[in-house]
Amino acid sequence: MRKTWVLGNWKLNNDSQSIRQWLEDFQQVEVPSNAVVGVAPVSIYSQHVAAHAPQNLLVGSQNVSQFDGGAYTGEVSAAMLSDAKIAFSLVGHSERRMYFGETNEITKDKVNALLQTGIIPVLCCGESQVQYETGKSQSVVESQLRAVLDHVAAEDVAKLVIAYEPVWAIGTGLTATPEYAQQMHQFIRALVAEYSSSASDLPILYGGSCNGSNAKELFAQADIDGGLIGGASLKVSDFNKIIEAAR
Ligand code: 13P
């Protein structure tokens, strides 16, 4: 039985004061026994959050360097994240691909850097609006995932979490319908099954305007194992509604 994951991605939001409040508010949250809950703050704050997070909250990173160390100004390595008690890291988020030139090749290297240190890679994929409208969703997601899966050892595939985030649904208030999202998740699981016998255990999360009103229906789909939450993770009251939907 797969658990339901609810991961927050704060993106470029929150500061030390709002984070202190968030952690205080989170003390009231009761994480259901079948749920895994986590949050990815901006990197400068993640070590603080990891040091103060309760047992029931995983702390993640929004990014990781593909390099181990050396002359790479501005980067943070997987080993450093591990040293700071970071449990998971997003990789290949569409905003990284769009604004910071992250290619499938770089994404693949980042996933492997994380796998070497035992940090859970949350591999993001998803089609743009134009690709969606022109019927290319599956082929785009397939090439994003194959670019990584072709270079990950079969036994390591079981250590991945995949997040399907259609770009047209991110921050737009346009959520994919549960039926459409389910279709895509089923497609992703079948694709992963070509690489690993553990595909049926793989958490596949949905992201894109997921909130307290639509989470329950999304999470009820056979192949949707939770959500990667942007805007609705910034306030604990909103985030908790999604955590409750995991029950
Ligand atoms: P929103 O929930 O704000 O649409 O963001 C989704 C996302 O990009 C999470 O990584």
Side-chain angles (χ1 to χ4, degrees):
M1 182 73 184
R2 295 188 299 268
K3 293 207 166 202
T4 301
W5 293 58
V6 181
L7 301 181
N9 172 11
W10 286 349
K11 309 191 179 183
L12 193 49
N13 295 293
N14 277 331
D15 57 17
S16 53
Q17 202 180 339
S18 59
I19 288 172
R20 208 171 303 125
Q21 186 64 51
W22 196 98
L23 286 170
E24 198 181 310
D25 294 346
F26 191 83
Q27 288 174 11
Q28 308 304 319
V29 170
E30 282 176 36
V31 173
S33 57
N34 63 316
V36 179
V37 175
V39 72
V42 169
S43 82
I44 196 170
Y45 300 117
S46 55
Q47 189 169 19
H48 170 88
V49 177
H52 292 87
Q55 286 275 326
N56 57 6
L57 180 69
L58 298 182
V59 181
S61 176
Q62 298 176 17
N63 188 23
V64 62
S65 179
Q66 67 269 45
F67 302 111
D68 293 339
Y72 300 104
T73 302
E75 293 291 276
V76 178
S77 74
M80 291 165 188
L81 294 180
S82 169
D83 190 28
K85 308 281 183 275
I86 297 302
F88 69 92
S89 177
L90 309 185
V91 193
H93 191 281
S94 60
E95 288 151 14
R96 300 292 317 169
R97 295 177 191 261
M98 231 180 329
Y99 305 130
F100 303 99
E102 284 194 10
T103 59
N104 283 336
E105 172 81 11
I106 294 172
T107 301
K108 173 260 291 176
D109 289 342
K110 290 185 173 195
V111 166
N112 280 305
L114 290 167
L115 287 169
Q116 278 172 24
T117 59
I119 297 174
I120 302 166
V122 179
L123 171 60
C124 305
C125 60
E127 78 282 6
S128 69
Q129 173 131 29
V130 174
Q131 291 162 339
Y132 172 64
E133 284 166 358
T134 52
K136 299 199 176 82
S137 305
Q138 293 194 351
S139 63
V140 168
V141 166
E142 178 172 354
S143 60
Q144 289 171 337
L145 293 180
R146 282 202 197 277
V148 174
L149 295 171
D150 282 347
H151 301 278
V152 167
E155 69 268 22
D156 283 343
V157 173
K159 299 173 187 160
L160 302 178
V161 171
I162 291 180
Y164 168 63
E165 301 201 298
V167 179
W168 48 269
I170 295 179
T172 58
L174 291 173
T175 318
T177 62
E179 296 72 28
Y180 176 76
Q182 164 57 23
Q183 239 176 47
M184 289 301 293
H185 282 230
Q186 194 174 19
F187 171 76
I188 290 168
R189 199 176 302 285
L191 182 71
V192 175
E194 292 181 28
Y195 294 84
S196 165
S197 56
S198 63
S200 58
D201 298 326
L202 190 91
I204 307 178
L205 319 186
Y206 168 81
S209 299
C210 183
N211 57 42
S213 313
N214 57 33
K216 188 122 202 141
E217 213 184 336
L218 284 161
F219 297 175
Q221 304 302 311
D223 289 292
I224 301 186
D225 308 310
L228 179 55
I229 320 297
S233 70
L234 295 175
K235 283 206 190 103
V236 169
S237 53
D238 295 334
F239 196 43
N240 193 32
K241 288 186 189 132
I242 304 175
I243 295 170
E244 281 299 312
R247 266 184 215 284

